[in-house]
């Protein structure tokens, strides 16, 4: 224990030195979001550029700060100045940024996002005062984007492992009590109270117990857990050691999909660092508690996020759910009592032990305490990773933090909880984001994926997309899920392709309810949600497809036609771009589209200059022929 | 002693041993609960979702996975249960290659039994989109074939190969709707580790795994397998003067319903034209058919000259224990040698 305290003090001075010495500190967002925007090259370019000019500086790679739409993000802190955060710093911008700000103290206005620190620079806004960040409460993600995730010292200097030392001081019973007082509910999907699940496992008698961290994040568009691991891996390790200690488990597994190579790399390093410093292994910090963590890479099956399928997968079997009871807390991995918690839940355990239950429960609603990380994506201006207090309204989340719908389009619906969740229409946007309120309107919190849709999204096609996902990811074991999702998918395909029948709407509802009621595991029990909620809130769109031959969102190819309006000046742009030679016309004369030849790819609509706005999409006019 | 519980199923009072599943308890008492993935020899799977029942008016549980308890009141039918079963069955039928007239399982098909029990309506089936998988039939095995288009993916064959045979030749392949049963790498049966024992074939509830030449027996004769020393109990199916099939005896403690490839499929030697039906005596270097008296006389005359170390006896494992006992007794007592063995390594 004393060794850790000494190391924490040493780490604090390293951190202090990094932030206050006369060398500029440059941080580059280098998580997966940053990397896909080119941050690896940006780091190299910054190093090369500063070396060439002869500026000594510390360049560190950090995780995701959540503003994924602004990646690559580069922050520069010069001595005595607040940290200045720049966005969209592509390779081309590096030279300018270094020359303008690092050398000449001129902030390039097009790149700057905000400042971090007490003082202000000119009229540059403070980063955390920006509308995208102001309503957020960053706790689980506090260190993400600020510390070097490969540095144990950075973690230690930012109250890292203080939760573990406190946990050892208070003992397992008190840990469970604090987690109960904090009101922590599972962040992975169902929102089951963590302490209650733990208690089943603690009460089960066994010579061996296991803790599994579910890092198999599989919802399309969700990346909360990945970002957390990539940006702050020790937060998960600390939460796991505390939880293992509370449960009496001596082995922990992290089940992480192999498609997360950077997260796995970060985890391997973090585990190695923890082992080298006596935070993992035998007699951790002199507590006589032994704990080791193993990583199991998953092959990316969505169903392996389901607890029993995940266990099967670790055991080397095909990831297929098994019936419950027995519950894993009583008989799980290798038949031993096993607790499976999500990445964020475990990180929250660390937070609770670091700061206390009361602190954790400051935010949230009566039944949903704390904050929630959310991957905000889709048709939203500020897409990225956010952390909000439970109970914030969907409207605030989408319009204040998310900045609303881009391109002046109208909001239509929001999907929460991934393929297992449902969609929520505009009129329900004022409901609070908490487990129970979302359940009431037919959707779920899930692990925190939020997909925003605008008026150009066809809700039938949207339901089809998620059913296609669920059907392909079903393990195939039980009849309602294997065949029911396929049947529903085929019906939805028929509807969007113009073969829908009047009785299909009732049939979809009947099948959806049967699949929910009859399936063996959570995948099937929730798979019909996207269909049932779109039927509940957007039934008119289904009816328009089936009865009127129309797709109100003008998306389903079978129901739309492209037309050139009289405003066409005959510039020929559409004609040249049309891959099916369906556009006919002479230069400077009105063009038209030969409907028989048109493949409805939409290129003409895309390329027609906005000042003419001469291409129109119509629906329900299938047989119309242009003159 | 195992505990016994009193419970009620559909108003009928029954007694069942602790640990018995509600499904087994019901079936033992002639109360039918539809089921497709359950087999009494195997661990319950809970995959077909057809055997749902209500306990004490509560929510539906799968009767294969729930065990009996004291005083519980089980209902095997209600409008909710019927609805759930009907939809599951309709989905199965819409996905099934309904080739009933030509199907080997025609008189023993769980799908048809349950359809009849539930009264599946053709007009409701018409609402569904039938699937046309068109998957190739694996006919590589000489004794049975596998038609994935008829497979209901109940997993009984997979569990049989794991739990009973201990081989693990079969598994699930692909995900979702495309899930099929197959060997490692989805190779033909003959290119896998399959030993052709046919344990999966006899447990297949539909016609997916079916014997290649299903011949219906007019009557059955109970006997013991002639191959090895295990002595498995079998029933020979007879039609006219021919043996047409073999069925394992579930009551025989030696095999409890299991057989190997030889016992189940290796009976064609009985009527084979190459089979010896008369003794042969080598005369002038050629085997010549002889009468039994001539042959026995020749043997006796040779035996008299061959007592002691000159003599050795090799008996067949196809003989009964009693016959083998007699051979060794004869060898030791009459031929005065201990050189006696048998070929129980068939």
């Amino acid at each position: 224990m004393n060794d850790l305290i000494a190391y924490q003090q040493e780490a604090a001075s390293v951190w202090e030195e990094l932030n206050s010495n006369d060398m500029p500190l440059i941080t580059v967002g280098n998580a997966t979001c940053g990397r896909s925007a080119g941050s690896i090259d940006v780091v190299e370019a910054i190093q090369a550029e500063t070396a060439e000019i002869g500026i000594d500086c510390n360049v560190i790679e950090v995780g995701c700060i959540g503003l994924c739409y602004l990646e690559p993000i580069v922050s520069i802190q010069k001595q005595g100045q607040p940290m200045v955060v720049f966005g969209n710093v592509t390779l081309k911008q590096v030279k300018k940024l270094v020359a303008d700000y690092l050398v000449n103290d001129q902030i390039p206005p097009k790149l700057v996002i905000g400042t971090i620190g007490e003082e202000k620079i000119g009229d540059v806004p403070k980063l955390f005062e920006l509308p995208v960040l102001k309503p957020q409460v960053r706790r689980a993600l506090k260190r993400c984007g600020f510390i070097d995730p490969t540095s144990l010292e950075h973690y230690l200097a930012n109250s890292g492992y203080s939760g573990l030392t406190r946990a050892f001081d208070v003992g397992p019973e008190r840990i469970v009590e604090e987690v109960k007082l904090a009101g922590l509910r599972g962040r992975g999907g169902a929102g089951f109270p963590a302490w209650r699940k733990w208690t089943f496992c603690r009460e089960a008698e066994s010579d061996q117990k296991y803790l599994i961290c579910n890092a198999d994040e599989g919802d399309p568009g969700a990346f909360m857990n990945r970002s957390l691991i990539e940006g702050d891996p020790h937060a998960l390790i600390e939460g796991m050691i505390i939880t293992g200690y509370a449960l009496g488990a001596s082995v922990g597994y992290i089940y992480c999909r192999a498609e997360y190579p950077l997260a796995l790399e970060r985890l391997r390093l973090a585990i190695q660092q923890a082992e080298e410093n006596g935070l993992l292994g035998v007699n951790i910090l002199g507590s006589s508690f032994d704990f080791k963590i193993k990583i199991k890479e998953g092959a990316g099956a969505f169903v392996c996020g389901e607890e029993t399928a995940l266990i099967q997968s670790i055991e080397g079997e095909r990831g297929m759910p098994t019936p419950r009871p027995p519950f894993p807390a009583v008989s799980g991995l290798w038949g031993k009592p096993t607790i499976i918690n999500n990445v964020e839940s475990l990180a929250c355990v660390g937070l609770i032990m670091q700061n206390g239950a009361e602190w954790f429960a400051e935010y949230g609603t009566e039944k949903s305490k704390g904050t929630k990380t959310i991957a905000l994506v889709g048709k939203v201006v500020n897409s990225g990773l956010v952390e909000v207090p439970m109970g914030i309204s969907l409207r605030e989340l989408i319009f204040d933090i998310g900045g609303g719908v881009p391109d002046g389009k109208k909001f239509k619906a929001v999907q929460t909880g991934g393929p297992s969740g449902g969609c929520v229409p505009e009129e329900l946007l004022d409901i609070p984001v908490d487990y129970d309120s979302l359940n009431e309107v037919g959707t779920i919190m899930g692990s925190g994926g939020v997909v925003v849709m605008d008026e150009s999204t066809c809700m039938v096609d949207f339901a089809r997309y998620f059913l296609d996902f669920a059907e392909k990811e079903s393990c195939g074991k039980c009849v309602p899920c294997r065949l029911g999702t396929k049947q529903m998918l085929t019906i939805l395909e028929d509807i969007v392709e113009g073969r829908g029948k009047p009785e299909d709407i009732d049939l979809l509802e009947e099948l959806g309810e049967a699949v929910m009621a009859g399936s063996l595991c959570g995948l099937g029990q929730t798979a019909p949600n996207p269909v049932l909620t779109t039927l509940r809130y957007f039934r008119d769109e289904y009816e328009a497809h089936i009865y009127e031959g129309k797709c109100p969102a003008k998306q389903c190819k079978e129901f739309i036609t492209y037309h050139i309006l009289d405003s066409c000046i005959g510039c020929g742009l559409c004609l040249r771009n049309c891959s099916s030679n369906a556009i006919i016309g002479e230069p400077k004369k009105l063009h038209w589209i030969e409907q028989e030849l048109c493949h409805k790819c939409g290129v003409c609509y895309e390329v027609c200059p906005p000042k003419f706005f001469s291409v129109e999409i119509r629906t329900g006019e299938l047989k119309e022929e242009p003159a | 002693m195992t505990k016994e519980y009193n419970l009620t199923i559909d108003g009928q009072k029954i007694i069942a041993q602790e640990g018995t599943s509600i499904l087994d308890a019901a079936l033992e008492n002639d109360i039918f609960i539809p089921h497709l993935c359950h087999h009494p020899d195997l661990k319950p799977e809970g995959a077909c979702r057809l055997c749902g029942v209500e306990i004490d008016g509560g929510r539906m549980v799968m009767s294969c996975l729930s065990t009996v308890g004291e005083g519980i009141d089980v209902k095997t039918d209600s409008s909710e249960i019927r609805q759930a079963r009907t939809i599951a069955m309709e989905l199965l039928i819409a996905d099934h290659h309904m080739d009933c007239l030509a199907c080997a399982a025609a008189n023993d098909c769980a799908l048809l039994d349950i359809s009849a029990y539930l009264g599946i309506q053709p007009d409701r089936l018409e609402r569904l989109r039938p699937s046309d998988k068109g998957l190739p039939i694996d006919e590589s095995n000489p004794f049975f074939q596998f038609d994935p288009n008829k497979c209901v993916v109940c997993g009984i064959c997979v569990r049989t190969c794991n739990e009973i045979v201990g081989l693990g030749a079969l598994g699930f392949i692909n995900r979702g709707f495309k899930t099929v049963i197959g060997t490692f790498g989805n190779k033909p049966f003959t290119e896998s580790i399959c030993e052709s024992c046919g344990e999966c074939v006899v447990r297949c509830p539909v016609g997916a795994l079916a014997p290649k030449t299903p011949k219906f027996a007019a009557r059955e004769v109970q006997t013991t397998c002639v191959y090895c020393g295990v002595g498995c109990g079998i029933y020979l199916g007879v039609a006219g003067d021919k043996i047409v099939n073999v069925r394992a005896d579930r009551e025989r403690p030696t095999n409890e319903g299991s057989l190997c490839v030889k016992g189940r499929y290796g009976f064609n030697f009985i009527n084979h034209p190459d089979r010896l039906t008369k003794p042969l005596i080598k005369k002038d270097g050629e085997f010549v058919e002889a009468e039994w008296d001539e042959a026995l006389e020749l043997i006796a005359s040779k035996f008299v000259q061959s007592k002691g170390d000159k003599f050795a006896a090799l008996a067949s494992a196809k003989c009964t224990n009693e016959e083998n006992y007699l051979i060794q007794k004869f060898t030791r007592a009459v031929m005065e040698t201990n050189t006696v063995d048998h070929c129980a390594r068939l």
Side-chain angles (χ1 to χ4, degrees):
Chain A
M1 192 76 87
N2 290 334
D3 289 354
L4 183 72
I5 292 166
Y7 194 22
Q8 274 168 337
Q9 286 164 351
E10 192 189 317
S13 59
V14 169
W15 180 252
E16 182 62 31
E17 170 73 14
L18 185 71
N19 283 281
S20 61
N21 74 8
D22 54 3
M23 275 202 283
L25 170 65
I26 303 176
T27 67
V28 183
N30 206 10
T32 299
C33 50
R35 289 182 177 204
S36 44
S39 65
I40 292 181
D41 293 341
V42 169
V43 173
E44 282 176 13
I46 290 174
Q47 281 163 338
E49 190 64 24
T50 49
E52 200 182 306
I53 300 175
I55 302 175
D56 278 338
C57 56
N58 283 312
V59 180
I60 63 168
E61 296 169 26
V62 295
C64 167
I65 198 172
L67 309 171
C68 306
Y69 62 106
L70 292 171
E71 295 284 358
I73 293 173
V74 176
S75 307
I76 302 176
Q77 182 170 23
K78 303 210 292 191
Q79 197 184 18
Q81 301 252 26
M83 183 173 250
V84 187
V85 184
F86 302 93
N88 293 321
V89 184
T90 53
L91 206 50
K92 285 184 191 157
Q93 313 283 353
V94 169
K95 221 177 176 79
K96 181 178 167 57
L97 180 63
V98 170
D100 282 7
Y101 185 58
L102 219 51
V103 179
N104 295 323
D105 253 344
Q106 295 296 312
I107 294 178
K110 280 188 180 167
L111 296 179
V112 71
I113 312 167
T115 59
I116 301 170
E118 292 295 310
E119 289 168 43
K120 276 193 78 174
I121 302 182
D123 56 356
V124 177
K126 287 193 172 184
L127 189 75
F128 287 99
E129 297 289 318
L130 291 174
V132 61
L133 281 162
K134 201 171 180 197
Q136 295 195 39
V137 177
R138 297 178 79 83
R139 291 185 152 183
L141 302 174
K142 188 167 188 280
R143 284 175 288 255
C144 284
F146 291 96
I147 64 164
D148 177 356
T150 62
S151 164
L152 174 58
E153 285 170 343
H154 285 196
Y155 182 71
L156 287 170
N158 288 278
S159 42
Y161 289 105
S162 63
L164 180 63
T165 48
R166 197 171 145 249
F168 285 144
D169 285 341
V170 298
E173 280 78 23
R174 181 67 201 163
I175 299 172
V176 179
E177 191 58 29
E178 288 228 15
V179 169
K180 185 180 175 180
L181 282 171
L184 175 64
R185 292 171 69 170
R187 279 355 189 200
F192 194 77
W195 70 273
R196 194 173 292 160
K197 187 148 106 173
W198 290 7
T199 305
F200 294 136
C201 177
R202 279 166 51 84
E203 285 170 357
E205 277 188 32
S206 177
D207 55 341
Q208 175 73 59
K209 291 176 185 178
Y210 294 105
L211 168 67
I212 298 173
C213 167
N214 185 349
D216 193 50
E217 191 167 57
D219 295 358
F223 48 87
M224 300 74 60
N225 297 344
R226 191 198 69 214
S227 293
L228 187 99
I229 295 172
E230 286 177 355
D232 193 9
H234 280 285
L236 172 59
I237 307 292
E238 182 177 358
M240 283 188 76
I241 305 169
I242 297 170
T243 309
Y245 176 59
L247 297 171
S250 60
V251 180
Y253 283 86
I254 299 174
Y255 188 87
C256 183
R257 49 182 48 225
E259 291 98 322
Y260 281 3
L262 182 60
L264 286 161
E265 186 188 314
R266 296 272 190 264
L267 279 174
R268 287 203 181 91
L269 180 65
I271 291 170
Q272 188 195 333
Q273 289 167 339
E275 283 169 350
E276 285 167 2
N277 289 281
L279 295 159
L280 282 172
V282 292
N283 193 20
I284 296 170
L285 304 180
S287 63
S288 76
F289 171 63
D290 304 343
F291 192 68
K292 60 180 169 186
I293 294 179
K294 298 177 183 179
I295 293 175
K296 171 75 186 178
E297 286 182 43
F302 180 63
V303 73
C304 286
E306 200 278 341
E307 292 194 344
T308 58
L310 191 156
I311 288 173
Q312 293 279 309
S313 177
I314 293 184
E315 289 180 355
E317 300 291 332
R318 177 183 159 102
M320 284 174 111
T322 54
R324 299 188 275 189
F327 288 90
V330 178
S331 173
L333 185 63
W334 318 114
K336 304 287 183 186
T338 304
I339 285 296
I340 302 174
N341 281 141
N342 161 271
V343 173
E344 190 184 342
S345 308
L346 289 162
C348 284
V349 172
L351 285 178
I352 291 167
M353 290 318 292
Q354 282 170 9
N355 304 288
E358 225 168 88
W359 172 87
F360 185 84
E362 270 171 14
Y363 288 101
T365 63
E366 195 195 335
K367 287 184 176 162
S368 304
K369 297 291 185 198
T371 56
K372 179 79 195 77
T373 61
I374 282 169
L376 184 60
V377 296
K379 301 289 177 60
V380 62
V381 176
N382 306 331
S383 61
L385 180 66
V386 305
E387 185 172 354
V388 291
M390 294 267 199
I392 190 175
S393 74
L394 277 169
R395 195 180 296 281
E396 285 174 87
L397 179 64
I398 296 161
F399 288 93
D400 296 346
I401 296 175
V405 177
D407 305 330
K409 288 197 174 151
K410 251 184 81 190
F411 171 88
K412 186 184 257 183
V414 56
Q415 168 86 2
T416 71
S420 305
C423 70
V424 179
E426 164 109 52
E427 58 267 29
L428 291 173
L429 278 188
D430 291 311
I431 60 156
V433 176
D434 66 55
Y435 294 101
D436 311 293
S437 307
L438 289 170
N439 280 357
E440 269 172 40
V441 299
T443 181
I444 58 167
M445 171 80 81
S447 56
V450 170
V451 185
V452 179
M453 287 158 278
D454 67 15
E455 57 188 329
S456 67
T457 310
C458 167
M459 297 313 283
V460 187
D461 189 51
F462 158 85
R464 183 206 55 77
Y465 167 79
F466 276 115
L467 249 285
D468 184 55
F469 179 85
E471 184 275 308
K472 288 196 168 71
E473 292 294 335
S474 160
C475 80
K477 181 170 179 172
C478 77
V479 172
C481 182
R482 183 181 75 245
L483 300 178
T485 55
K486 173 68 180 179
Q487 190 67 237
M488 290 173 79
L489 173 63
T490 314
I491 295 168
L492 289 166
E493 283 170 351
D494 280 358
I495 296 175
V496 297
E497 287 166 20
R499 297 184 299 272
K501 294 184 277 186
E503 62 267 29
D504 283 345
I505 294 180
D506 287 344
L507 182 58
L508 276 175
E509 267 174 337
E510 194 181 329
L511 287 169
E513 273 152 28
V515 172
M516 285 183 112
S519 293
L520 192 153
C521 83
L523 192 157
Q525 285 161 9
T526 57
N529 267 338
V531 182
L532 295 179
T533 50
T534 47
L535 277 169
R536 187 162 152 189
Y537 300 121
F538 298 96
R539 202 182 190 88
D540 53 332
E541 292 202 23
Y542 284 82
E543 288 167 349
H545 282 77
I546 296 171
Y547 297 115
E548 298 162 33
K550 283 185 182 172
C551 172
K554 298 178 184 172
Q555 284 298 309
C556 298
K557 282 188 180 178
E558 199 58 41
F559 298 106
I560 57 167
T561 42
Y562 289 83
H563 302 268
I564 295 175
L565 304 177
D566 291 348
S567 60
C568 168
I569 60 145
C571 71
L573 207 53
C574 57
L575 186 144
R576 287 194 297 278
N577 279 285
C578 178
S579 60
S580 43
N581 299 324
I583 298 176
I584 295 163
E586 287 172 27
K588 308 225 161 106
K589 286 188 180 163
L590 183 66
H591 287 32
W592 76 90
I593 297 171
E594 198 69 62
Q595 296 296 337
E596 293 288 304
L597 297 172
C598 175
H599 286 134
K600 300 170 188 175
C601 66
V603 161
C604 52
Y605 183 80
E606 302 281 324
V607 299
C608 183
K611 61 181 170 184
F612 305 129
F613 201 66
S614 298
V615 179
E616 188 178 66
I617 310 172
R618 294 181 199 153
T619 182
E621 296 185 19
L622 301 183
K623 298 202 170 69
E624 194 205 52
E625 288 291 326
Chain B
M1 203 182 127
T2 321
K3 250 194 196 162
E4 286 190 332
Y5 290 127
N6 296 288
L7 62 149
T8 316
I9 302 181
D10 293 344
Q12 188 178 329
K13 286 191 165 45
I14 65 166
I15 299 166
Q17 286 193 336
E18 186 181 21
T20 311
S21 73
I22 292 172
L23 177 57
D24 282 332
L27 296 173
E28 279 161 24
N29 288 276
D30 302 326
I31 301 166
F32 181 67
I33 298 174
H35 60 275
L36 207 51
C37 69
H38 170 81
H39 194 280
D41 299 341
L42 304 169
K43 288 182 196 146
E45 184 82 341
C48 72
R49 318 307 279 175
L50 291 170
C51 72
V53 295
E54 275 175 21
I55 299 177
D56 296 334
R59 84 186 181 95
M60 194 164 72
V61 297
M62 293 304 132
S63 61
C64 65
L65 298 167
S66 309
T67 51
V68 293
E70 183 59 37
I72 60 167
D73 183 16
V74 180
K75 277 203 179 63
T76 70
D77 204 357
S78 73
S79 58
E80 288 83 27
I81 292 173
R82 193 156 275 265
Q83 169 78 354
R85 285 177 185 160
T86 303
I87 291 183
M89 275 304 290
E90 287 168 349
L91 288 169
L92 280 163
I93 293 169
D95 181 51
H96 189 76
H97 181 208
M98 296 298 279
D99 174 32
C100 299
L101 282 178
C103 182
N107 65 344
D108 185 24
C109 173
L111 216 50
L112 288 181
D113 292 348
I114 301 166
S115 300
Y117 170 86
L118 290 173
I120 295 296
Q121 301 294 321
D123 57 331
R124 276 179 58 91
L125 281 171
E126 277 168 18
R127 304 180 307 162
L128 298 177
R129 275 54 167 181
S131 49
D132 180 18
K133 287 190 272 199
L135 296 169
I137 299 171
D138 180 357
E139 296 187 273
S140 66
N141 190 290
F143 309 116
F144 56 82
Q145 64 181 35
F146 175 59
D147 182 352
N149 305 299
K150 289 182 186 170
C151 177
V152 291
V153 199
C154 65
I156 283 179
C157 50
V158 177
R159 280 176 286 144
T160 299
C161 203
N162 285 336
E163 294 175 29
I164 295 176
V165 188
L167 193 64
L170 293 173
F172 296 92
I173 292 171
N174 302 334
R175 280 188 223 159
F177 174 71
K178 289 187 176 156
T179 307
V180 288
I181 302 295
T183 62
F184 185 73
N186 211 7
K187 294 267 173 60
F189 271 79
T190 41
E191 289 175 35
S192 75
I193 57 167
C194 169
E195 291 173 352
S196 308
C197 67
E199 289 290 298
C200 56
V201 179
V202 295
R203 285 177 181 79
C204 179
V206 293
L209 277 161
K212 272 202 164 160
T213 48
K215 290 197 180 108
F216 295 108
R219 65 187 170 97
E220 284 188 327
V221 177
Q222 187 179 20
T223 184
T224 302
C225 174
V226 292
Y227 272 99
C228 75
V230 174
C232 294
I234 55 171
Y235 285 93
L236 297 174
V238 182
D241 62 350
K242 298 270 194 312
I243 293 169
V244 291
N245 60 29
V246 174
R247 177 169 75 84
D249 186 349
R250 297 183 61 84
E251 305 302 317
R252 186 74 69 96
T254 39
N255 57 319
E256 294 177 333
S258 287
L259 286 175
C260 73
V261 57
K262 287 167 282 186
R264 180 167 284 121
Y265 299 118
F267 56 85
N268 64 347
F269 70 91
I270 298 165
N271 298 313
H272 201 280
D274 290 349
R275 185 178 169 187
L276 292 182
T277 50
K278 283 190 166 177
L280 301 177
I281 296 173
K282 200 179 247 182
K283 292 175 179 167
D284 303 327
E286 292 273 320
F287 279 115
V288 181
E289 268 193 15
E291 292 306 313
W292 281 104
D293 284 346
E294 185 192 353
L296 287 171
E297 263 173 41
L298 177 65
I299 291 167
S301 65
K302 299 269 184 188
F303 274 17
V304 171
Q305 300 159 23
S306 313
K307 282 193 179 178
D309 288 348
K310 280 189 265 180
F311 188 83
L314 184 69
S316 170
K318 281 190 181 176
C319 299
T320 63
N321 280 348
E322 291 79 0
E323 287 162 340
N324 272 319
Y325 173 82
L326 284 174
I327 283 282
Q328 67 84 28
K329 193 74 182 171
F330 173 80
T331 309
R332 292 184 215 273
V334 179
M335 300 307 292
E336 297 168 5
T337 175
N338 291 325
T339 315
V340 57
D341 199 359
H342 75 130
C343 67
R345 290 170 285 275
L346 256 172

